[in-house]
Amino acid sequence: MTTYFITGGAGFIGSTLSEKLLKKEYKVIVIDNFCDFYNPKIKENNIKDLEKHENFKIYRADIRDRQAIKKIFDENKIDIVMHLAAMAGVRPSIENPILYQEVNCMGTQNILEEMKSHGVKNLVMASSSSVYGNCKEVPFKENMIVDFAISPYAATKKANEVMTHVYHKLFDINVMMLRFFTVYGPKQRPDLAINKFTRLMLNNEEIPMFGDGTTSRDYTYIDDIVDGIIKSCNYCIENKNVYEIINLGNSSPISLKEMINKIGQALRYRT
Ligand SMILES: NC(=O)c1ccc[n+]([C@@H]2O[C@H](COP(=O)([O-])OP(=O)(O)OC[C@H]3O[C@@H](n4cnc5c(N)ncnc54)[C@H](O)[C@@H]3O)[C@@H](O)[C@H]2O)c1
């Protein structure tokens, strides 16, 4: 039975992915530190049902703790790592860049080191569309130069792409770096716009809009992201010498105004 190790497995994407893998009868090992970036009770709730599953095991630990990571690799025969644990979000990274560096860069390197020493050869990891920063050319393409990050968060994700390449070259680790574009759907992080705006509308509160609402972005439904992650895992497992960066998103951006209208329509249909 294939064993998947998911970092950040109590989060929005990680818990949805865990659920899907358990349904497919795989073994799922999770690490999560239940940090307070948003209410940890939401994360507890995300994994409440998963914990009842015999093929699910959770370690409540921090990826910055090298010994904790080593213990997980010592105790489990891991086939593939899905590294989703991170401090996410552009704005908060400007407030606390050192934390972002420690979790996203040092934490990632701890995972890579333990993969190396335990001979685990497959890694699928979350990067972000934030690496495109102020790129004006659309649609964004993976071969565009993204050396000019405009937030600490984006810089850590770009650094992850570079460091994982080092481990790929030196230690034959297959790597798929997936650049996600704002993911939405059930369990979406409360700091993200669709969740935030929906709560505001339900409470009859005003929605804060930066600019005139014409700025557009791509949104990707959580099930599509989970499918993309699982397909990337299969690709890693079935192939050798893999290092790829992939935009896992759509190419039909919608404007902020349009998005707010769509939420409004959806809520009207509900009441
Ligand atoms: N959701 C999106 O729209 C989006 C877009 C682009 C990239 N991403 C990336 O995808 C990944 C998952 O995002 P998400 O939306 O599910 O976020 P999330 O915050 O819901 O999940 C991340 C999980 O990682 C855990 N975590 C954070 N620091 C940790 C640490 N030091 N040790 C152990 N666990 C830790 C958190 O407790 C959380 O449960 C992240 O790497 C994020 O940067 C997400």
Side-chain angles (χ1 to χ4, degrees), residues 72-84:
I72 297 171
F73 279 86
D74 285 345
E75 289 181 358
N76 302 282
K77 195 180 160 333
I78 291 164
D79 297 295
I80 182 155
V81 178
M82 274 160 288
H83 182 29
L84 305 175

Side-chain angles (χ1 to χ4, degrees), residues 11-13 32-33 38 43 62-63 84 86 153 157 183 189:
F12 165 40
I13 300 173
D32 204 295
N33 72 344
Y38 58 88
K43 301 174 190 182
D62 198 303
I63 58 167
L84 305 175
Y153 172 62
K157 290 293 183 184
V183 188
R189 287 195 340 246

Side-chain angles (χ1 to χ4, degrees), residues 82-216:
M82 274 160 288
H83 182 29
L84 305 175
M87 290 303 298
V90 167
R91 277 168 208 274
S93 77
I94 299 167
E95 304 294 315
N96 202 347
I98 295 189
L99 176 65
Y100 277 69
Q101 169 71 15
E102 286 171 354
V103 173
N104 297 4
C105 295
M106 270 319 296
T108 297
Q109 194 135 12
N110 285 338
I111 304 281
L112 287 167
E113 277 296 295
E114 292 309 320
M115 287 183 71
K116 178 184 92 182
S117 54
H118 288 79
V120 178
K121 293 292 184 192
N122 298 301
L123 172 71
V124 174
M125 182 172 174
S127 185
S128 166
S129 59
S130 308
V131 299
Y132 291 105
N134 277 341
C135 285
K136 294 278 179 281
E137 203 186 314
V138 287
F140 298 145
K141 294 194 181 126
E142 292 87 343
N143 60 4
M144 286 162 98
I145 293 170
V146 289
D147 289 343
F148 304 101
I150 53 167
S151 71
Y153 172 62
T156 61
K157 290 293 183 184
K158 169 70 188 178
N160 291 157
E161 293 181 354
V162 176
M163 187 57 84
T164 52
H165 186 261
V166 174
Y167 280 71
H168 164 67
K169 276 289 164 202
L170 295 180
F171 310 114
D172 291 331
I173 294 178
N174 281 342
V175 179
M176 298 280 283
M177 294 298 292
L178 307 179
R179 290 178 179 162
F180 300 155
F181 289 67
T182 318
V183 188
Y184 72 97
K187 300 185 191 167
Q188 191 195 36
R189 287 195 340 246
D191 59 302
L192 292 173
I194 295 180
N195 183 323
K196 205 157 63 184
F197 293 172
T198 306
R199 277 180 292 124
L200 287 170
M201 273 190 215
L202 286 171
N203 290 332
N204 258 336
E205 286 175 52
E206 203 170 304
I207 293 177
M209 217 166 63
F210 300 104
D212 61 2
T214 55
T215 51
S216 291

